[in-house]
């Protein structure tokens, strides 16, 4: 939800799985065509129409070549000639999103939804941005529109589940993830999300089963390894928890929170020397910004305690 990158949680709780594409976090593009579903072509009965068609194609070509500025300028020229051109609004939104102009992209996708209510891609892309902006009500509305029109759209349904999670409605979130698994039993993200819900509800057995299922579907699911480690720690299986965290770190050795949690685990097992090394690794990965000053101070305090 992708809502998505990494969430820091106190001990005993798990960070939510981000979506981004799964969805909601990070702006990865969905696993479906980028062409606009439901868009009606505009007639080109004049030279103006020919120019517009050429500009749209030019913009799409430049965007495909990663010339985002050229693509954006071409789509803007189209809209100057025909402000209600749905495809130009959609393609401009995609280009702005790729250029990290989230506000501009959302404006274009919302315009698409007004001009062409059945344009499912516009609803989907807007839903992702709503999720990233912590606006679950609008994300739910956008993804619901897609799922109502296309009940088999697994990616939209998964993101709908993430939006319900973000809204705090665990029952509806769980329902969406279960429906995802009916369509795709090996959907690693859905298994991970169901594991998160089970963990929060205190059902460690179910949580463990879901995280194992997630890893069987995708052996590179860092979140599943990390959350499985948290479950095993709660169950008192410290060796198993350490193994799970080590697997997560092999897959992602740039996340300071992974090293911090792993160090805490080592320290809990009396391995102070190894814990000190993991704390140092975590400290080295913390960005040197005022935003991360509190995290840096926390790690330094823990390092001092194990290095006495």
């Amino acid at each position: 939800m992708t809502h998505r990158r990494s969430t820091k949680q106190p001990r005993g709780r798990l960070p939510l799985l981000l979506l981004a594409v799964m969805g909601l976090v990070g702006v990865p593009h969905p696993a479906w065509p980028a062409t606009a579903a439901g868009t009606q072509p505009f007639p080109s009965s004049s030279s103006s129409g020919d120019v517009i068609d050429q500009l749209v194609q030019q913009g799409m070509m430049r965007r495909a070549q990663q010339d985002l500025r050229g693509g954006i300028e071409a789509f803007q020229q189209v809209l100057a000639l025909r402000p209600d051109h749905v495809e130009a609004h959609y393609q401009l939104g995609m280009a702005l999103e790729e250029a990290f102009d989230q506000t501009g992209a959302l404006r274009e996708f919302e315009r698409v939804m007004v001009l062409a209510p059945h344009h499912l891609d516009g609803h989907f892309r807007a839903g992702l941005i709503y999720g990233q902006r912590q606006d679950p009500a609008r994300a739910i509305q956008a993804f619901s529109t897609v799922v109502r029109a296309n009940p088999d759209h697994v990616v939209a349904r998964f993101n709908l589940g993430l939006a319900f999670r973000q809204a705090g409605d665990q029952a509806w979130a769980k329902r969406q993830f279960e429906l995802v698994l009916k369509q795709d039993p090996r959907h690693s993200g859905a298994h991970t999300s169901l594991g998160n819900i089970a963990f929060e509800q205190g059902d460690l057995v179910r949580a463990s089963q879901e995280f194992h299922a997630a890893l069987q579907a995708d052996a590179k699911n860092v979140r599943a390894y990390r959350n499985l480690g948290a479950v095993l720690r709660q169950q008192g299986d410290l060796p198993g928890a350490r193994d799970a965290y080590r697997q997560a770190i092999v897959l992602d050795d740039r996340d300071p929170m992974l090293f911090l949690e792993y160090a805490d685990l080592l320290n809990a097992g009396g391995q102070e020397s190894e814990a000190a090394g993991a704390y140092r690794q975590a400290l080295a990965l913390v960005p040197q910004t005022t935003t991360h000053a509190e995290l840096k101070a926390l790690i330094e305090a823990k390092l001092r305690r194990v290095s006495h």
Side-chain angles (χ1 to χ4, degrees):
M1 318 209 15
T2 358
H3 322 32
R4 44 49 14 164
R5 292 157 162 347
S6 76
T7 317
K8 304 173 182 63
Q9 300 282 353
R11 180 178 176 182
R13 294 187 61 194
L14 293 180
L16 296 180
L17 176 68
L18 289 161
L19 359 123
V21 125
M22 297 289 74
L24 300 180
V25 26
V27 213
H29 292 164
W32 63 338
T35 53
T39 303
Q40 296 299 317
F42 288 86
S44 299
S45 56
S46 66
S47 58
S48 175
D50 292 338
V51 169
I52 287 172
D53 290 345
Q54 291 171 8
L55 284 171
V56 170
Q57 292 302 317
Q58 176 182 314
M60 293 176 68
M61 180 183 68
R62 290 189 175 179
R63 179 180 156 231
Q65 296 171 342
Q66 301 301 307
D67 178 7
L68 297 179
R69 177 177 293 181
I72 289 168
E73 289 175 352
F75 298 133
Q76 288 173 335
Q77 289 178 54
V78 172
L79 294 173
L81 295 170
R82 188 171 295 178
D84 61 352
H85 196 293
V86 175
E87 182 68 8
H89 278 293
Y90 177 74
Q91 293 293 338
L92 177 57
M94 294 293 288
L96 290 170
E97 190 176 24
E98 290 165 1
F100 302 103
D101 181 356
Q102 192 181 72
T103 298
L106 181 58
R107 180 182 62 246
E108 297 304 322
F109 295 140
E110 288 179 333
R111 185 63 179 153
V112 169
M113 291 190 290
V114 171
L115 292 172
H118 300 296
H119 191 299
L120 301 186
D121 292 1
H123 287 281
F124 184 93
R125 299 308 305 180
L128 290 179
I129 295 177
Y130 290 140
Q132 292 160 22
R133 292 189 163 195
Q134 304 297 307
D135 188 351
R138 289 186 178 181
I140 288 169
Q141 184 177 8
F143 293 128
S144 294
T145 298
V146 178
V147 170
R148 279 195 298 269
N150 181 6
D152 295 329
H153 199 304
V154 175
V155 181
R157 189 175 294 281
F158 176 70
N159 279 283
L160 178 59
L162 292 177
F164 277 122
R165 280 275 281 164
Q166 196 177 66
D169 191 337
Q170 306 308 322
W172 273 99
K174 183 177 180 181
R175 175 61 176 160
Q176 299 307 316
F177 297 137
E178 289 172 343
L179 288 172
V180 168
L181 291 175
K182 282 188 176 181
Q183 295 173 272
D184 180 5
R186 291 181 57 79
H187 194 291
S188 187
H191 280 297
T192 303
S193 296
L194 286 173
N196 289 343
I197 293 173
F199 183 89
E200 291 170 2
Q201 294 175 344
D203 188 347
L204 299 184
V205 173
R206 171 71 186 276
S208 178
Q209 291 172 343
E210 293 294 349
F211 294 139
H212 277 107
L215 291 168
Q216 287 177 354
D218 178 8
K220 295 183 179 180
N221 187 331
V222 176
R223 182 71 59 184
Y225 275 120
R226 182 182 192 173
N227 294 355
L228 177 61
V231 169
L232 293 172
R233 180 177 180 177
Q234 291 285 324
Q235 293 176 322
D237 182 0
L238 295 185
R242 287 194 294 269
D243 287 343
Y245 267 96
R246 278 194 289 265
Q247 289 290 340
I249 288 171
V250 166
L251 294 169
D252 181 5
D253 62 359
R254 305 302 301 169
D255 184 349
M257 291 304 299
L258 265 180
F259 282 98
L260 173 57
E261 293 164 13
Y262 180 53
D264 286 343
L265 184 60
L266 292 169
N267 190 31
Q271 298 175 267
E272 293 187 350
S273 177
E274 293 85 349
Y279 285 132
R280 290 189 184 95
Q281 288 175 294
L283 197 58
L285 293 171
V286 175
Q288 300 302 308
T289 65
T290 55
T291 306
H292 295 86
E294 187 176 345
L295 175 60
K296 180 181 178 182
L298 172 66
I299 299 171
E300 288 174 338
K302 292 188 174 197
L303 178 57
R304 285 194 297 271
R305 284 198 290 271
V306 297
S307 302
H308 53 59

